[in-house]
Amino acid sequence: MDRVFSGLARFVVRYRLLVIVVWIGIAVAASATLPSLGSQINNNNSAFLPASAPSQQAATLATPLLGNIDTQSQVLVVVTAGGGTLTAADQQAVATTLRALGTVPTVRSVREAAVSPAGTAAVAQVEAAIAPSDISAQRTLVDRLQATLDAASLPSGVQLRLAGQVATDVANQKSSQKTGGRIQSLSLLLIIVLLLVIFRAPLAAVITLLPPAFALVSSTRFIGALGAHGLKISEITDLLLIVLLLGAGTDYGLFLVFRVREALRAGREPGDAVVFAMVRVGESISASAGTVIVALLTLLFASFGIYRDLGVPLALGMAVMLLAGLTLLPALLAVAGRAAFWPVRVGAAEDGRGWWGAVAAQMVRRPAWTLGLGVVAFGALATLGLGYRSAGFGGATSAPTGTAVASGNAELAHYFPASSANPANLIFAYARPVWTDPEVLVAAARSLVASGQVRHLAGPLDPNGTSITPADLARLHAVLGDPHRLPAVLPAGVAVPPALYNAYRATGLFISPAGTTVQFEAAFRAGGQQSTAALDATPAVRRSVAAAAAASGATHAGLAGEAAALFDVSNTADSDLVRIVPIAIVAIAVLLALVLRSLVAPLYLIVSVAMSYLAALGAATGVFIDLGGDSGLTFVLPFLMFIFLLALGEDYNILVMTRIREENHDRTLREAVVEAVARTGPTVTSAGVILAGTFAMLAVAGGGSNGGSGNQIQAIGFGLAIGILLDTFVVRTVLVPSTVALLGRWNWWPSRLGRSAHHLAGGQGATPEATPPANRVRTP
């Protein structure tokens, strides 16, 4: 491998200006020709469910009524008269505006579906030929609809506002882009400050940060292009990509820059120093990034789309970042030379082992005590995790406060309380049209109410707040026909009271044109659709729906809506946790075995990750549930924490363990541990603080996220940041070296180094004060 990295480094140093120009060209071309990542974000996590999920099957069952969930999108338009009654002139102006909405590209139909009982408001449905997963096309649709409404000429007091899930998703996507921009800006500022503190050299700080910044700019466009071609991208993908590339990319940059500075201090010329550093740390950087990429690619085995579709974008971003770290960073260092570290002198090497060397010297004298105290402390933190409770992460059903869509949803809930912007949908399919036997609707409604699971129920016999008897429903259908085809204004000569006419028109929201598919819209007694209580109540509500189907003679039934979808998401995510974690562990263990040439070391290194994971989960539980009073933590937190701590924690394992192994060739094992920790301690500390800081930006900036998901994003950021800090200051620099000192030569079994009797003898009671040979080469 040394020959490979030596050849790559010499090429980059020789053509350094060309390499820099190529990277600039890639970033510019990608930004100019490819869609942005933010334009492809889908905040509706239920869109990532497999088709086999019960809530998805229920949505499919409702296709005759609600449209095809795979090919159609629906936007609601709420019409109000400023508190007054909609007049005939108002209705005519509204009809003209609705016809204009029908001319918007991709719109299939526009229909005024219901009028409130007092005649003060109406709601219209806009059906478009856009797949729900195509958030970019939905955004274009919503923008065009809003532009049409803005240009409409309406009577004084009459207002039309967009509402419903699609409009809410688009509003939240725009808010997510602002959140991502805020996190990116704060992360860059934090990293710059920390790099200035670490290097005390402005140019070195900028050079270290430029490769991950270029990688982020380029990879967001590459991933955006994948999103435009069908890859579903969630908000959490966007946010994690930012902090992962900036944090991990800066970490890998530190590995190389520290080593270049060491080579310059040894008297090497800048170009030779870059080649020397690349040979020494190129394999470590590649292996570290490889562990992250491998861990992320194991997500392809997940059933839940938000996990499965998380793997490819983040793995692609890491691959781009690795390429930048192995080409652009060396090129920048070769161009800058010694000036990169101005005003700090790099002519003389620093002596002494520093604080970490002193800690390591004390640690190897009593490794069992050190390890035991660490395990007890981690166990105490982990016990807090016993109070962990899962909560939803719907990601977006409440529009950002102050937006026009938020106002539209509020008006919909006010004038049509039985049919809010975010109801639970109880779907029933019958063998015969319900017009012929409306009593089945009474039986279904009675059974649902009697279950005690439903606080409020709207259905075909109470479509807009005006009650319709089964006899009236049958009679009105015989006289007026399909309610979906009726005009907004009562036709002349039709002997039906206007209030009853409007109520019958509104039944089109609940009964399909064929009359065989029916929905009830319900509010759960347990709480709103976004609440953890509603998610937990989903199994009981599903049993109530099944009982109502049996009581009314329905052939099929199902429960759709946010709470049902999130329940399915949580169950799918839990099954993925059981499936993916073993795969990720095995994959990382194999990679560690290859890099460390040992079958023993990967075992306790994986255990160390589990310890920091459980401790970090316990800390997050204590802060957000025990102290913060939250009802639960997002169900994605345990999964994301394990995958990221497994992958990123092993980065530091590789750095520390490869250095211990290198030192062990010329020293006793305990001497090697002291020297390795002394040399890598500052690097690991600096890298860990930067990486934890970038994840902490999720906790800082994520609190302003949309749709009520901000607190859950904070929990993700906090949990990952705590896990990284525990890895940095305790696991990699204290617990792992203590374990190495205890195991002795068995650390390297079955390699030749593990069979050496010299290292076994030297590992017991050795004095960790030996001076390394003058020609020793150190890894950062």
Side-chain angles (χ1 to χ4, degrees):
M1 292 300 294
D2 286 356
R3 186 173 300 175
V4 173
F5 287 104
S6 175
L8 174 62
R10 294 182 187 282
F11 175 86
V12 170
V13 169
R14 181 176 181 181
Y15 299 103
R16 51 190 177 274
L17 294 179
L18 177 61
V19 170
I20 295 172
V21 170
V22 168
W23 272 104
I24 294 174
I26 291 173
V28 171
S31 299
T33 60
L34 299 177
S36 67
L37 174 60
S39 67
Q40 305 301 317
I41 294 174
N42 190 332
N43 277 304
N44 184 2
N45 286 349
S46 63
F48 295 86
L49 278 170
S52 59
S55 58
Q56 294 298 94
Q57 292 178 338
T60 301
L61 184 65
T63 296
L65 179 62
L66 303 179
N68 191 314
I69 62 171
D70 296 323
T71 60
Q72 291 180 222
S73 296
Q74 182 187 87
V75 180
L76 301 180
V77 180
V78 181
V79 182
T80 59
T85 302
L86 290 168
T87 66
D90 294 340
Q91 289 276 20
Q92 184 175 359
V94 168
T96 300
T97 304
L98 295 182
R99 284 194 294 272
L101 294 179
T103 63
V104 171
T106 71
V107 172
R108 285 180 173 176
S109 64
V110 180
R111 172 180 173 270
E112 185 177 305
V115 178
S116 65
T120 55
V123 61
Q125 295 174 326
V126 179
E127 300 286 349
I130 296 174
S133 60
D134 192 348
I135 189 66
S136 179
Q138 286 182 338
R139 178 170 179 167
T140 300
L141 169 67
V142 169
D143 288 345
R144 286 172 173 171
L145 293 176
Q146 187 61 56
T148 303
L149 295 182
D150 292 341
S153 177
L154 296 170
S156 177
V158 176
Q159 292 184 321
L160 277 72
R161 289 190 174 95
L162 301 181
Q165 189 62 55
V166 170
T168 299
D169 286 346
V170 170
N172 279 322
Q173 185 215 44
K174 294 178 180 179
S175 179
S176 295
Q177 289 181 289
K178 295 178 182 178
T179 301
R182 186 163 59 248
I183 290 174
Q184 181 172 314
S185 299
L186 289 175
S187 297
L188 288 171
L189 178 61
L190 174 70
I191 292 172
I192 283 291
V193 170
L194 292 176
L195 288 176
L196 287 174
V197 172
I198 292 167
F199 289 121
R200 302 187 301 278
L203 187 55
V206 173
I207 288 175
T208 305
L209 185 56
L210 277 178
F214 267 82
L216 180 62
V217 170
S218 302
S219 60
T220 53
R221 295 291 175 165
F222 297 152
I223 297 166
L226 294 178
H229 287 82
L231 179 68
K232 295 178 182 177
I233 300 172
S234 66
E235 178 186 19
I236 197 63
T237 301
D238 181 35
L239 300 182
L240 286 176
L241 181 72
I242 294 171
V243 298
L244 179 63
L245 293 196
L246 292 180
T250 304
D251 279 7
Y252 300 153
L254 285 175
F255 298 170
L256 183 62
V257 175
F258 271 133
R259 198 53 193 265
V260 169
R261 185 175 66 177
E262 181 180 336
L264 290 173
R265 283 174 173 165
R268 295 178 182 271
E269 291 301 315
D272 185 42
V274 172
V275 174
F276 171 83
M278 279 283 287
V279 171
R280 295 304 175 189
V281 300
E283 183 177 4
S284 295
I285 293 173
S286 300
S288 296
T291 61
V292 179
I293 293 172
V294 168
L296 291 171
L297 290 179
T298 61
L299 297 179
L300 293 175
F301 293 96
S303 300
F304 181 31
I306 205 170
Y307 291 162
R308 186 177 59 252
D309 295 334
L310 186 70
V312 171
L314 296 187
L316 174 60
M318 285 296 296
V320 174
M321 190 277 299
L322 175 61
L323 183 61
L326 295 178
T327 55
L328 179 58
L329 181 56
L332 292 170
L333 289 169
V335 170
R338 295 180 183 276
F341 302 97
W342 180 89
V344 179
R345 293 182 60 218
V346 293
E350 297 177 350
D351 295 324
R353 291 188 173 119
W355 186 82
W356 279 113
V359 170
Q362 293 296 322
M363 176 186 62
V364 298
R365 289 191 177 98
R366 290 190 173 184
W369 277 93
T370 304
L371 182 61
L373 288 174
V375 170
V376 170
F378 273 56
L381 270 178
T383 57
L384 295 176
L386 296 175
Y388 170 81
R389 294 187 299 274
S390 178
F393 189 72
T397 54
S398 297
T401 303
T403 61
V405 177
S407 299
N409 286 339
E411 290 174 346
L412 183 66
H414 175 71
Y415 290 106
F416 299 91
S419 179
S420 68
N422 185 29
N425 305 102
L426 287 56
I427 312 299
F428 299 88
Y430 296 92
R432 297 186 303 165
V434 295
W435 321 113
T436 62
D437 185 15
E439 291 296 335
V440 299
L441 303 175
V442 177
R446 184 181 296 120
S447 177
L448 291 171
V449 172
S451 71
Q453 299 295 328
V454 176
R455 177 174 54 84
H456 189 90
L457 189 69
L461 301 181
D462 184 23
N464 68 341
T466 300
S467 297
I468 301 177
T469 66
D472 282 340
L473 184 63
R475 179 177 61 84
L476 290 171
H477 182 263
V479 173
L480 300 175
D482 183 2
H484 299 83
R485 299 180 179 275
L486 294 178
V489 180
L490 177 65
V494 177
V496 175
L500 193 58
Y501 177 81
N502 287 332
Y504 178 69
R505 285 186 68 250
T507 62
L509 296 171
F510 299 93
I511 305 175
S512 67
T516 55
T517 302
V518 174
Q519 77 157 333
F520 291 87
E521 293 182 340
F524 290 178
R525 189 173 298 278
Q529 287 288 288
Q530 294 186 57
S531 68
T532 302
L535 184 150
D536 293 338
T538 294
V541 177
R542 280 182 169 150
R543 289 192 294 270
S544 300
V545 171
S552 62
T555 57
H556 298 88
L559 174 65
E562 185 191 8
L566 290 183
F567 180 83
D568 292 340
V569 164
S570 182
N571 277 358
T572 305
D574 289 344
S575 66
D576 282 340
L577 184 65
V578 175
R579 180 188 307 111
I580 300 300
V581 165
I583 297 175
I585 288 175
V586 171
I588 297 299
V590 170
L591 190 57
L592 286 173
L594 293 174
V595 173
L596 300 177
R597 301 167 183 83
S598 167
L599 295 179
V600 175
L603 300 180
Y604 63 78
L605 294 180
I606 295 294
V607 171
S608 71
V609 169
M611 291 172 57
S612 60
Y613 160 71
L614 293 174
L617 183 60
T621 300
V623 169
F624 288 93
I625 295 180
D626 298 335
L627 297 180
D630 289 358
S631 60
L633 293 175
T634 171
F635 57 82
V636 304
L637 180 63
F639 188 90
L640 292 180
M641 281 182 61
F642 188 88
I643 292 297
F644 277 90
L645 292 181
L646 175 67
L648 296 172
E650 300 306 351
D651 286 359
Y652 303 149
N653 273 335
I654 290 172
L655 181 67
V656 174
M657 292 297 291
T658 53
R659 183 57 185 262
I660 292 175
R661 183 183 177 88
E662 178 183 345
E663 296 291 346
N664 197 196
H665 282 287
D666 298 317
R667 303 171 182 270
T668 64
L669 183 58
R670 293 194 176 187
E671 291 173 345
V673 168
V674 173
E675 185 68 17
V677 172
R679 299 299 178 181
T680 62
T683 306
V684 170
T685 301
S686 302
V689 169
I690 288 176
L691 186 59
T694 55
F695 278 113
M697 290 304 100
L698 285 176
V700 174
S705 186
N706 56 76
S709 64
N711 205 40
Q712 303 293 359
I713 293 176
Q714 284 183 316
I716 293 173
F718 177 85
L720 289 171
I722 289 296
I724 294 296
L725 289 176
L726 290 173
D727 261 354
T728 300
F729 289 98
V730 183
V731 176
R732 308 305 157 213
T733 45
V734 177
L735 299 187
V736 167
S738 297
T739 306
V740 173
L742 284 172
L743 289 178
R745 69 187 179 100
W746 291 104
N747 284 284
W748 316 120
W749 185 86
S751 69
R752 184 182 307 171
L753 189 60
R755 298 192 298 269
S756 171
H758 163 74
H759 298 289
L760 175 62
Q764 301 296 329
T767 303
E769 305 296 339
T771 303
N775 63 345
R776 286 285 294 118
V777 173
R778 297 185 177 92
T779 307

